[in-house]
Amino acid sequence: MSEYNAIVRWQRQLTETFIDSQYSRGHHWHFDGGVTVPASSSPHIVPLPYSVDANVDPEEAFVAALSSCHMLVFLGIVAKRRFVVEHYEDNAVGVLEKDDAGRLAMTQVTLRPAVTFSGERRPTPEQLETMHHQAHRGCFIANSVKTAVVTEIVEPRETP
């Protein structure tokens, strides 16, 4: 078993009444490695200026966590099969909408990994599909949520 920690800090500004709901949702996520991430509610949920558009919101972080987990598992699988990856990019998209119970939920996350391979050995489309499927099954973040996680493989780029 492993434990993971994050410290989330928010502070009311002296100029904010708070009970009128007109307060900044800007806050910070602090991680044990020393990284601090400016965070906020999504401007789609809480309008500006009470959200901070430049900050990461929990919905974006959720999508990024799924994408990052998939990528890390995928890279491990590919390395064991002795394929060389030069570049991996995923333009992942999450959908926030009402679920079957009428509650707002991230109902789907679509991963769109575009992988650039180099070297003599390149995976076939079937091998690529299999490795992404294995990565999805091995991603413990995806295994932890009820959101549908879809992978749409993007054609690999050729190396120059």
Side-chain angles (χ1 to χ4, degrees):
M1 182 180 103
S2 300
E3 228 177 62
Y4 299 89
N5 302 297
I7 298 170
V8 177
R9 287 195 180 115
W10 173 87
Q11 177 71 44
R12 183 177 66 86
Q13 301 302 307
L14 294 175
T15 58
E16 297 172 333
T17 306
F18 185 75
I19 58 174
D20 60 2
S21 294
Q22 295 183 358
Y23 57 90
S24 175
R25 273 46 168 208
H27 58 283
H28 290 90
W29 299 338
H30 302 271
F31 297 98
D32 61 2
V35 172
T36 297
V37 175
S40 176
S41 58
S42 168
H44 297 291
I45 307 297
V46 177
L48 299 172
Y50 307 113
S51 289
V52 183
D53 196 29
N55 293 8
V56 176
D57 61 63
E59 296 80 9
E60 292 170 324
F62 180 76
V63 172
L66 284 164
S67 174
S68 182
C69 184
H70 181 93
M71 178 196 71
L72 292 168
V73 175
F74 176 82
L75 292 176
I77 291 166
V78 171
K80 285 179 185 168
R81 292 195 178 183
R82 310 200 53 79
F83 295 112
V84 177
V85 174
E86 290 297 324
H87 184 262
Y88 182 108
E89 183 174 318
D90 183 3
N91 183 13
V93 177
V95 176
L96 180 70
E97 62 186 352
K98 289 190 177 177
D99 64 11
D100 294 339
R103 297 175 296 190
L104 279 178
M106 295 294 284
T107 58
Q108 180 168 306
V109 173
T110 300
L111 307 179
R112 295 188 177 101
V115 185
T116 304
F117 294 90
S118 65
E120 299 279 324
R121 296 186 69 241
R122 310 269 175 125
T124 66
E126 295 78 21
Q127 289 172 314
L128 191 59
E129 181 75 34
T130 297
M131 291 185 295
H132 276 293
H133 179 70
Q134 291 171 331
H136 178 66
R137 290 184 50 82
C139 173
F140 42 86
I141 302 296
N143 292 336
S144 302
V145 298
K146 65 180 182 177
T147 300
V149 181
V150 178
T151 302
E152 294 177 353
I153 301 169
V154 177
E155 272 302 309
R157 300 179 196 159
E158 292 298 318
T159 54

